[in-house]
Each structure stands twice: as C-alpha cells, then as structure tokens.
C-alpha cells in the first residue's frame, strides 16, 4: 500500500510538524478575542493561527465578518506570538489584501470551490505566490469540481497547494453537519498522494464532542493535518458556536490523538493496519446505513400491500433478486454461499418489518 508520508511535500520543506494543526476561531470578532485565543495557543503544536474575517453565511443578516480590519489583528498575533497566520479568501480583493498583510497561508472556502468563475478569479489574483494555498472541498460531493478548482490554482503558478476535507452537504439529515464521505477522501489521496490533505472536523461534525473521533479517523486514514476551530468562549462565539472547542480542549485532543510516525517497520505495520481498519469502519457504517434505507423501502411496500391486502411473501420476485445478487456477488469476489446467507438474513428482516406493518 502506498505510504504518502514517505513523500516529501512543502509541509516538510517548511519544516512543519506532523500532523499539521491549524487552529483559531471561526471568525475574528474583536482584537481582544483574537489575541486572547492566540496567546492561549502559543507554544503548543499549533502551526497556523486561523480566523475568518470575511464570512460566507448561509443567510443574510448574520455576522459577516470584520473585514480587512481583522488583518491588522492577525498581524499582531504573528508579532506577539510568533505563530503563522491564515485566513479565508473568496475574491481577488481578499487575496490582494491578504498578501499585502503578509498572511502566511490562505484557504479557499467550500462555497467558493463550487464556482469555477470564483476559483479562476482567485487563481489569477494568486499568480506566482509562494504562500501555501489550501482548497476546501466544494459543499457538494463532486470530486471533479474539487480537483478542477485545485488545478486552476496550480496553473496560476502556486506550488504550495493543499486540500481541506470539510465534508459535504446532504439533503437528508445525518449525525454530521457535513457528511464526511470518507471514500472520497480516500480516492483523493489515491489520485493525488503528493497533495497534503487536511481534515476539518469542526465543519464535518458541527458538534464539539464529535471532533476527537473524526480527527482520529482522519489521522488513521493518513491525513496530513487538522483544522480545528478554537475559541475561549465557544458558546458565545459569533459564528459556529456549537462546533468550536476551547484552547484547553484542543490541547487535550492533540494529546489524546494517536499519531503514527513513519520510521521502523513496526510503526509502518501499525499505520497500515490502522488505515485499513479505518477504511473498514467507514464501509461498515455505510452498510448499516444502506440496510436501514432498504428496510424503510420495505416498510413502504408493507404499507402498500396492506392497502391492497396482498400477501407479504412474493416468492417469484424473491428468487429473481437472489439470482441477480449471486451473479453480482461473484463479480465482487463473494462466494455464492455467502451471498445467499446474507440475503436470506436481509430478506427475513424485511419480512419481519412487513409483518409488523400488516398486523400492526
Ligand atoms: C470556515 O472555515 O469557517 C468556513 C467558512 O468553512 P467552510 O468553507 O468549510 O464552510
Ligand atoms: Mn466556521
């Protein structure tokens, strides 16, 4: 299996710690707030201090950021703490201002990555910069759109490129604010092992108590770093209050995360094992979700049959399904015996569901 940590990237060239940690508030609110958080993160493993100053909000009338004024506060952070600083840019004017204020790293938000026009405008404004630029995935699960955005930035001569996986919007509510779709992150890494990939558990979960688990999964899946929103008073933050953690919890999270470093073969073995197990966990969760969906459809059929007074068991259709699945299974390397056993169990659960509806 490919071990991307053996590849040298700009993260190594800039001598950045592994995993790279970017932390700071969702939004810069006041100069005092920014500096207070920064001082609490000083002398930790945080490499970049983040704060959004131009905030894309879903609805108008919400706090939309302090604007260019915040750049002065970020400069103070750098001067007082020695931490590197970063912010989100969403148009050419933002890029110009951020570069003029010597912001050390820029990221492009999920709502910008969806638009090739905006990405091209940002790419043109970034032309030739040596600052690292991180591109968040678009809000919708479209890998080609994400890669297209990255390509635009790369073509304008930006060499230090990275990507941020912040999850994807779904119509159906899940336990996540933005569904991680881990398969897409795995596919991203397989396609572009030399582009550093950072995980953003804050926007994926939307809830601070889920941040640790998502961060650990990301590290087990070989991510290069984490971006975690951090605020000294999360509950009273002006944006994304429920997902921010205190500097103290961030430090605890970083301490508790199992981080595998490359080196001896034992470590490599463990890292690969964790990576494969994390992939299995992702798929197992998907299997359970899919089975849940299948049973819901089955409940629908149960209700329909009840209205027409039709019997639950329809042997002809069932035999057709089994025959088809045995063939599909074979193509996936699954034995006939396994496919039959699995589908009998699924079918039984389906019948139980429908019985309940018919007799309920
Ligand atoms: C953010 O990082 O605060 C932000 C707006 O993120 P996203 O673009 O992922 O929604
Ligand atoms: Mn945010």
């Amino acid at each position: 299996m490919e071990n991307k940590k053996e590849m040298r990237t700009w993260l190594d060239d800039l001598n950045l710690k592994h995993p790279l940690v970017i932390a700071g508030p969702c939004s810069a609110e006041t100069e005092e707030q920014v500096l207070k958080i920064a001082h609490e993160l000083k002398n930790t493993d945080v490499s970049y201090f983040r704060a959004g100053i131009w905030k894309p909000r879903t609805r108008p009338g919400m706090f939309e950021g302090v604007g260019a004024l915040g750049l002065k506060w970020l400069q103070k952070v750098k001067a007082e703490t020695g931490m590197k600083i970063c912010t989100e840019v969403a148009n050419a004017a933002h890029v110009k201002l951020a570069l003029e204020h010597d912001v050390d790293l820029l990221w492009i938000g999920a709502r910008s990555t969806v638009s090739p026009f905006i990405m091209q405008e940002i790419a043109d404004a970034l032309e030739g910069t040596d600052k690292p630029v991180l591109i968040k995935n678009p809000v919708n699960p479209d890998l080609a759109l994400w890669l297209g955005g990255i390509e635009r930035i790369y073509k304008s001569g930006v060499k230090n490129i990275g990507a941020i996986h912040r999850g994807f919007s779904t119509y159906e509510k899940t336990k996540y604010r933005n569904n991680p779709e881990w398969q897409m992150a795995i596919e991203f890494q397989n396609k572009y092992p030399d582009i550093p990939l950072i995980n953003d558990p804050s926007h994926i979960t939307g809830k601070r108590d889920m941040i640790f688990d998502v961060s650990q999964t990301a590290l087990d899946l070989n991510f290069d770093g984490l971006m975690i929103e951090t605020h000294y008073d999360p509950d009273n933050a002006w944006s994304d209050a429920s997902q921010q953690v205190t500097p103290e919890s961030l430090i605890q999270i970083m301490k508790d995360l199992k981080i595998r470093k490359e080196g001896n073969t034992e470590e490599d073995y463990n890292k690969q094992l964790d990576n494969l197990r994390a992939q299995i966990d992702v798929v197992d969760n998907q299997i359970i979700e899919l089975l849940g969906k299948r049973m819901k459809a089955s409940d629908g059929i149960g209700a329909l049959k009840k209205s027409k007074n039709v019997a639950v068991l329809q042997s002809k259709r069932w035999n057709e399904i089994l025959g088809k699945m045995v063939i599909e299974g074979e193509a996936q390397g699954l034995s006939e015996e396994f496919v039959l056993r699995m589908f009998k169990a699924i079918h039984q659960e389906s019948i139980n569901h429908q019985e309940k509806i018919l007799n309920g």
Side-chain angles (χ1 to χ4, degrees), residues 33-291:
Q33 172 246 15
V34 167
L35 287 168
K36 185 170 157 61
I37 300 167
H39 277 281
E40 291 182 30
L41 295 175
K42 186 174 74 173
N43 301 328
T44 65
D45 283 339
V46 174
S47 293
Y48 286 92
F49 180 83
R50 68 152 275 159
I53 58 178
W54 297 288
K55 298 302 300 176
R57 304 307 298 277
T58 303
R59 303 188 54 214
M62 299 162 101
F63 173 60
E64 293 191 327
V66 295
L69 175 65
L71 292 167
K72 302 269 183 254
W73 306 343
L74 285 174
Q75 283 186 312
K76 267 202 175 166
V77 166
K78 183 152 50 168
E80 289 185 17
T81 69
M83 258 187 286
K84 294 183 200 293
I85 51 174
C86 62
T87 199
E88 173 178 346
V89 290
N91 60 37
H94 296 165
V95 172
K96 188 163 175 284
L97 280 163
L99 294 178
E100 278 168 10
H101 288 79
D102 203 25
V103 167
D104 299 292
L105 174 153
L106 299 86
W107 85 82
I108 299 168
R111 291 163 191 78
S112 300
T113 315
V114 287
S115 164
F117 288 132
I118 291 179
M119 290 307 280
Q120 194 55 53
E121 175 183 330
I122 297 174
D124 292 342
L126 282 168
E127 198 174 331
T129 183
D130 59 358
K131 306 281 189 198
V133 178
L134 307 181
I135 298 111
K136 286 198 173 196
N137 66 253
V139 285
N140 54 325
D142 185 338
L143 185 57
L145 194 57
W146 193 5
L147 297 178
I150 292 174
E151 205 180 322
R152 282 177 201 277
I153 305 298
Y154 182 76
K155 281 196 164 160
S156 68
V158 180
K159 290 284 176 296
N160 299 336
I161 284 187
I164 302 178
H165 169 232
R166 51 77 82 194
F168 304 88
S169 277
T170 47
Y171 173 63
E172 248 174 82
K173 285 282 154 261
T174 70
K175 65 176 174 170
Y176 300 102
R177 179 179 177 199
N178 290 292
N179 202 354
E181 311 278 9
W182 292 108
Q183 291 301 346
M184 203 176 315
I186 293 166
E187 201 181 322
F188 182 98
Q189 295 191 65
N190 287 339
K191 269 204 165 102
Y192 294 97
D194 53 342
I195 298 183
L197 183 59
I198 313 296
N199 185 259
D200 175 346
S202 310
H203 290 90
I204 287 179
T205 62
K207 284 183 217 73
R208 66 181 69 92
D209 60 354
M210 290 167 69
I211 285 179
F212 177 82
D213 283 346
V214 166
S215 302
Q216 187 64 65
T217 301
L219 293 185
D220 292 342
L221 287 172
N222 268 340
F223 276 65
D224 300 274
L226 300 165
M227 179 189 256
I228 301 183
E229 289 188 339
T230 311
H231 193 298
Y232 65 83
D233 185 10
D235 283 333
N236 290 306
W238 297 3
S239 58
D240 287 352
S242 57
Q243 71 192 31
Q244 304 204 53
V245 297
T246 60
E248 204 186 357
S249 338
L250 177 76
I251 291 164
Q252 193 61 44
I253 288 171
M254 291 192 289
K255 218 157 106 199
D256 293 343
L257 284 171
K258 269 198 291 154
I259 297 153
R260 308 252 177 232
K261 296 199 174 67
E262 74 256 45
N264 64 48
T265 47
E266 186 72 11
E267 282 285 356
D268 278 351
Y269 163 82
N270 284 329
K271 204 162 80 177
Q272 291 191 21
L273 199 63
D274 281 347
N275 182 299
L276 290 168
R277 283 185 175 148
Q279 293 194 33
I280 284 179
D281 289 349
V282 168
V283 176
D284 282 349
N285 274 319
Q286 289 173 333
I287 291 175
I288 289 292
E289 264 173 43
L290 285 175
L291 286 174

